[in-house]
Amino acid sequence: MTMSEFEPNRTILVLKVTQTSEHFLKIDHLCSMIGLANALFRFSPKKSHPNKPEIFDTADILLDLSSSTKTKFIKDYQPIKKRTNIGIHYKQLLYASKFSQFLTQNATHVPDPHELYSLVTRSLDAFENGYAPEIISLKAFYNFLKTEGFPVRATWLTLLPKEQQSQARNLLQTPLDQLSNSPQSDALAQDLLNHLSQWIEKETDFKPISF
């Protein structure tokens, strides 16, 4: 156990919320200090909870570390940023949820939790701000693989046809707010994302996500 795991105050990104019983929610989250973790949040179903955890939240939490069990409990939960726009649009929600699901299944041992936290924050903000979910996801998965040390540039990109390699580099290197919003770009990003998903399944031990 690292010293960071003894720190009760944390800022987190909520990746998944699961009701485990009548009074508890399991909060799978990402923390820049320790990476992927989970904790239980107690609530009363008979009372309204303005600060009830929701998926895609950024929040400050206070953990109760006094328990002798491995299970951690959240004593206080204060949302900093709620990304409610993601849930309004089906495609944004679908792609953001798939990325979050991939992380909860695969991001258990990351070399740099802070870098991953920054990547996921940028990605969720982009989903929230309404950018093309196909392009956001392509960038997110590609950069996740880079943070994990996989040679995606030297291997996956070189497997693409020459013309598509150039198009892929343009999508990956150009900031979202500088890309033209067109059905053609979205379709290209989806094709590349499908190809990258197949590469992930073949070349890594990660649990794949289909699109």
Side-chain angles (χ1 to χ4, degrees), residues 150-160 199 203:
F150 288 95
V152 280
R153 180 180 299 177
T155 54
W156 172 69
L157 270 178
T158 61
L159 295 174
L160 300 171
W199 186 89
E203 301 294 335

Side-chain angles (χ1 to χ4, degrees), residues 60-80:
D60 283 335
I61 64 170
L62 175 63
L63 290 175
D64 180 1
L65 300 179
S66 62
S67 174
S68 59
T69 69
K70 291 184 178 180
T71 303
K72 294 181 175 63
F73 295 88
I74 298 174
K75 293 173 63 176
D76 187 51
Y77 182 94
Q78 296 295 328
I80 300 173

Side-chain angles (χ1 to χ4, degrees), residues 6-209:
F6 289 102
E7 171 57 52
N9 294 286
R10 302 177 184 180
T11 300
I12 66 168
L13 285 167
V14 178
L15 300 179
K16 185 179 180 181
V17 179
T18 308
Q19 186 164 343
T20 58
S21 68
E22 185 180 359
H23 296 286
F24 283 101
L25 299 174
K26 180 188 175 189
I27 312 301
D28 289 278
H29 59 271
L30 191 65
C31 171
S32 65
M33 296 186 295
I34 63 170
L36 194 66
N38 63 72
L40 293 179
F41 176 83
R42 184 180 178 87
F43 74 103
S44 172
K46 297 180 180 179
K47 296 180 181 179
S48 61
H49 293 267
N51 290 348
K52 188 175 180 180
E54 294 181 330
I55 191 171
F56 310 133
D57 282 356
T58 296
D60 283 335
I61 64 170
L62 175 63
L63 290 175
D64 180 1
L65 300 179
S66 62
S67 174
S68 59
T69 69
K70 291 184 178 180
T71 303
K72 294 181 175 63
F73 295 88
I74 298 174
K75 293 173 63 176
D76 187 51
Y77 182 94
Q78 296 295 328
I80 300 173
K81 183 172 186 178
K82 300 188 78 67
R83 297 178 176 86
T84 54
N85 284 341
I86 294 177
I88 296 175
H89 305 285
Y90 172 74
K91 284 183 71 175
Q92 303 296 110
L93 178 61
L94 175 65
Y95 283 73
S97 298
K98 283 181 177 289
F99 185 47
S100 292
Q101 179 186 350
F102 179 85
L103 293 171
T104 58
Q105 292 178 342
N106 297 296
T108 50
H109 301 288
V110 295
D112 189 341
H114 186 271
E115 186 176 1
L116 179 61
Y117 186 91
S118 178
L119 167 63
V120 178
T121 297
R122 294 195 307 272
S123 301
L124 292 181
D125 283 346
F127 283 119
E128 172 74 1
N129 292 329
Y131 290 104
E134 300 91 345
I135 299 177
I136 300 169
S137 296
L138 176 65
K139 287 174 174 284
F141 280 93
Y142 179 85
N143 286 308
F144 171 79
L145 291 167
K146 282 178 63 180
T147 65
E148 287 285 298
F150 288 95
V152 280
R153 180 180 299 177
T155 54
W156 172 69
L157 270 178
T158 61
L159 295 174
L160 300 171
K162 289 292 184 182
E163 181 181 355
Q164 209 169 40
Q165 286 184 39
S166 175
Q167 294 171 327
R169 288 191 179 93
N170 179 60
L171 285 179
L172 290 167
Q173 296 172 4
T174 306
L176 286 165
D177 59 1
Q178 296 178 23
L179 287 169
S180 60
N181 189 10
S182 68
Q184 291 79 11
S185 294
D186 297 350
L188 170 63
Q190 183 63 64
D191 287 343
L192 292 169
L193 188 58
N194 292 339
H195 194 278
L196 183 58
S197 298
Q198 293 169 6
W199 186 89
I200 292 172
E201 185 172 8
K202 181 179 179 181
E203 301 294 335
T204 77
D205 294 327
F206 295 141
K207 296 179 181 178
I209 297 291

